[in-house]
Amino acid sequence: MSMILLYLAKAALCSGLLFAYYCLALRNQRQHRWNRAYLLGLTAVSLLLPLISIPLPGNSTGSAGILQYTASAFTVNGNAGSHTTSSWHWTYFAYAAVAAALLARFGYAVWQLHRLIRGGRRQDGQHYQLILHPAVSSPFSFFRFIFWNPGAEQQSAESRHILQHEQTHVRKGHSWDTLFMELVTALCWPNPVFHFVKRELQVVHEFEADEVPAGNGQTKAYAENLLRQVLCAPSANLLIHHFSQPPVKRRIMMLTRKNDTRYAAVRKLMALPLAAGLIFAVSCTQHKEDVVAAKPEEKAQTPVDRTLQKPTNEIFTVVENPPVFPGGDEALNKYLSSQIKYPDEAAEKGVEGTIFVKFIVREDGSITDVTTVGNKKGAGLEEESIRVVKGMPKWNPGVQNGRKVDVEFNLPIRYTLVDDDKSTSFWPGQSPFMPGQKTKC
């Protein structure tokens, strides 16, 4: 799977579970500041968590403790086919085109507001500027600017309610949240959850802004004013906070809803185990599969464990003299290059990745117990790797304390698709082993 698609899938998983919890436990509760923080945090966590890799202590089967060398994995290159490559290119192009269109829409909305600010008459208020412009049909706010029609009444009770509402948007910085969510939904547009989060965050903004003018026993009058305004509400710019912004039914219900604090703390705290579970599922890896290649002259000396005094049937992982393929590493490279064939199914489906083949070099040099470890790639990669390793000639066995012993190895074989004709190749001069080859938990 492409890294971009994998990232989007993980982000969708995180955002979906966190938003589902919001809908079940937090939505329509009179804890607007917490809900606003949760929705913004939900988005940030979903964007960042797939990028984080947290190593866990412990060993996974067949990875740690197996005799290895400091070098790169054997690499098999194959042709993905023109159809598969072309399909991926078109997929990325379509993704970028939609994102660019949404960003252009975002830029156009900012430009419209900039025109209103430049063309309007300004009046300075406390912590805000009133922009009087004839193109404004109904009051709205954007950052520290409150837009008003110059012919509209400003001194009536209804107008004071509206002005207090928009001032609350300005004071609480709701426009920053809106800009953030517009960018997120433009760049991560395939994730539907982010679009739901953006819409819900706008409603929470309205809940917060409604509390101030509706206070001091003005709830009924404010609700009636809100109903009158919404009946003639124009279509709003996607970046502004409009006084008559729907859904008006939820806003009026929230004004009259009693604040139930009995389980408020429990609802908040229950989000913590959910976040912890997502961190473990998405970001925690016990072992990392990709390894940095090292130069062959930097091959590390295998440490000797002087405490190994075991019976002859023990399988060793660290020995004084490790097993060697007949003819050395260069001969092993040639053998793998001549024997491994990129599976047709994997090439057609675009399957790539590193296969870790675990096997035992016996006292007589024979190869036994061949298997693969780590995440299964499928499409025949595991089967091809096992077939080639099983067909190896006898090795020169490993030696510990002057006697031949059984030694366990882990051989990484990296399958990579290229645009050239299907071929098998290896980076010259490099050993087919590498250290710390590990699999994801």
Side-chain angles (χ1 to χ4, degrees):
M1 180 182 290
S2 164
M3 292 298 294
I4 296 178
L5 294 181
L6 180 61
Y7 170 81
L8 291 174
K10 289 183 176 181
L13 172 65
C14 294
S15 59
L17 291 177
L18 291 172
F19 188 67
Y21 177 78
Y22 171 87
C23 293
L24 290 174
L26 303 176
R27 190 172 184 264
N28 290 331
Q29 298 296 323
R30 293 195 66 176
Q31 45 188 19
H32 309 317
R33 183 182 300 178
W34 168 260
N35 284 357
R36 178 190 176 192
Y38 182 89
L39 290 171
L40 291 172
L42 174 164
T43 305
V45 166
S46 301
L47 292 173
L48 296 177
L49 207 55
L51 301 176
I52 300 173
S53 179
I54 304 175
L56 292 177
N59 298 331
S60 63
T61 304
S63 58
I66 298 177
L67 190 60
Q68 304 155 71
Y69 289 91
T70 303
S72 173
F74 181 85
T75 302
V76 181
N77 295 325
N79 180 22
S82 59
H83 176 73
T84 303
T85 302
S86 176
S87 297
W88 280 113
H89 288 171
W90 277 109
T91 300
Y92 289 134
F93 176 79
Y95 176 88
V98 175
L102 293 175
L103 288 174
R105 173 174 172 263
F106 171 79
Y108 179 71
V110 173
W111 177 76
Q112 284 183 309
L113 292 172
H114 180 67
R115 285 187 59 192
L116 287 177
I117 294 172
R118 292 193 60 182
R121 180 164 53 91
R122 302 190 183 194
Q123 290 183 3
D124 291 331
Q126 188 176 9
H127 308 302
Y128 71 92
Q129 277 193 339
L130 194 67
I131 305 296
L132 301 174
H133 198 289
V136 178
S137 56
S138 182
F140 62 88
S141 62
F142 177 70
F143 284 105
R144 63 187 181 93
F145 301 105
I146 297 177
F147 298 82
W148 204 279
N149 189 290
E153 176 64 46
Q154 296 186 32
Q155 303 302 323
S156 65
E158 293 182 359
S159 298
R160 287 197 297 271
H161 283 165
I162 296 174
L163 187 59
Q164 287 178 329
H165 178 96
E166 300 303 334
Q167 284 177 324
T168 306
H169 282 306
V170 172
R171 188 171 60 255
K172 292 185 176 293
H174 290 162
S175 294
W176 288 109
D177 302 357
T178 303
L179 286 181
F180 173 67
M181 290 308 305
E182 286 296 333
L183 288 174
V184 170
T185 52
L187 296 176
C188 300
W189 61 266
N191 185 351
V193 181
F194 285 150
H195 297 274
F196 293 135
V197 171
K198 180 181 75 171
R199 186 180 305 172
E200 184 64 23
L201 187 60
Q202 290 173 342
V203 176
V204 172
H205 288 168
E206 298 307 315
F207 290 163
E208 277 195 309
D210 286 339
E211 285 190 331
V212 175
N216 299 322
Q218 298 293 312
T219 301
K220 182 178 179 181
Y222 181 78
E224 292 175 352
N225 183 23
L226 182 60
L227 281 173
R228 282 193 295 269
Q229 290 291 328
V230 79
L231 292 177
C232 58
S235 58
N237 182 296
L238 62 91
L239 298 180
I240 65 176
H241 290 98
H242 208 287
F243 174 76
S244 55
Q245 183 169 328
V248 66
K249 181 179 179 180
R250 283 185 64 190
R251 291 171 64 182
I252 293 177
M253 290 178 60
M254 188 59 64
L255 291 173
T256 58
R257 185 185 182 93
K258 292 184 178 180
N259 190 14
D260 185 5
T261 59
R262 288 178 299 172
Y263 304 106
V266 175
R267 286 192 291 265
K268 295 176 182 178
L269 291 176
M270 285 301 294
L272 296 179
L274 175 60
L278 283 175
I279 292 174
F280 182 82
V282 175
S283 295
C284 289
T285 56
Q286 190 164 20
H287 296 290
K288 187 177 180 182
E289 181 177 289
D290 297 327
V291 187
V292 179
K295 296 180 181 179
E297 59 267 20
E298 296 175 353
K299 183 183 293 186
Q301 296 294 325
T302 306
V304 178
D305 189 347
R306 299 297 182 184
T307 64
L308 292 177
Q309 301 292 339
K310 301 293 182 181
T312 56
N313 62 350
E314 183 189 5
I315 299 174
F316 286 80
T317 58
V318 180
V319 292
E320 297 172 351
N321 298 313
V324 179
F325 187 86
D329 292 344
E330 185 177 354
L332 176 57
N333 298 340
K334 291 181 180 179
Y335 170 81
L336 295 174
S337 297
S338 63
Q339 295 298 318
I340 295 181
K341 307 298 181 186
Y342 210 107
D344 292 337
E345 181 183 358
E348 292 174 0
K349 294 182 177 180
V351 179
E352 301 176 298
T354 303
I355 304 299
F356 295 94
V357 185
K358 184 184 74 172
F359 58 93
I360 298 175
V361 180
R362 297 293 180 180
E363 298 176 13
D364 60 355
S366 61
I367 305 298
T368 64
D369 300 315
V370 182
T371 185
T372 60
V373 295
N375 291 343
K376 186 176 177 61
K377 307 298 181 183
L381 297 186
E382 284 81 8
E383 291 78 2
E384 177 64 12
S385 303
I386 292 175
R387 180 191 69 80
V388 172
V389 172
K390 281 185 176 181
M392 286 182 177
K394 287 189 175 182
W395 287 41
N396 298 324
V399 177
Q400 175 69 20
N401 295 330
R403 61 181 174 84
K404 297 178 180 179
V405 294
D406 298 339
V407 181
E408 193 172 55
F409 265 86
N410 200 2
L411 172 65
I413 303 175
R414 181 176 297 145
Y415 291 83
T416 304
L417 292 171
V418 295
D419 293 333
D420 300 327
D421 292 337
K422 187 185 299 184
S423 61
T424 303
S425 64
F426 179 67
W427 303 335
Q430 292 182 327
S431 167
F433 301 107
M434 65 190 201
Q437 50 263 50
K438 302 170 182 178
T439 60
K440 298 178 180 176
C441 61

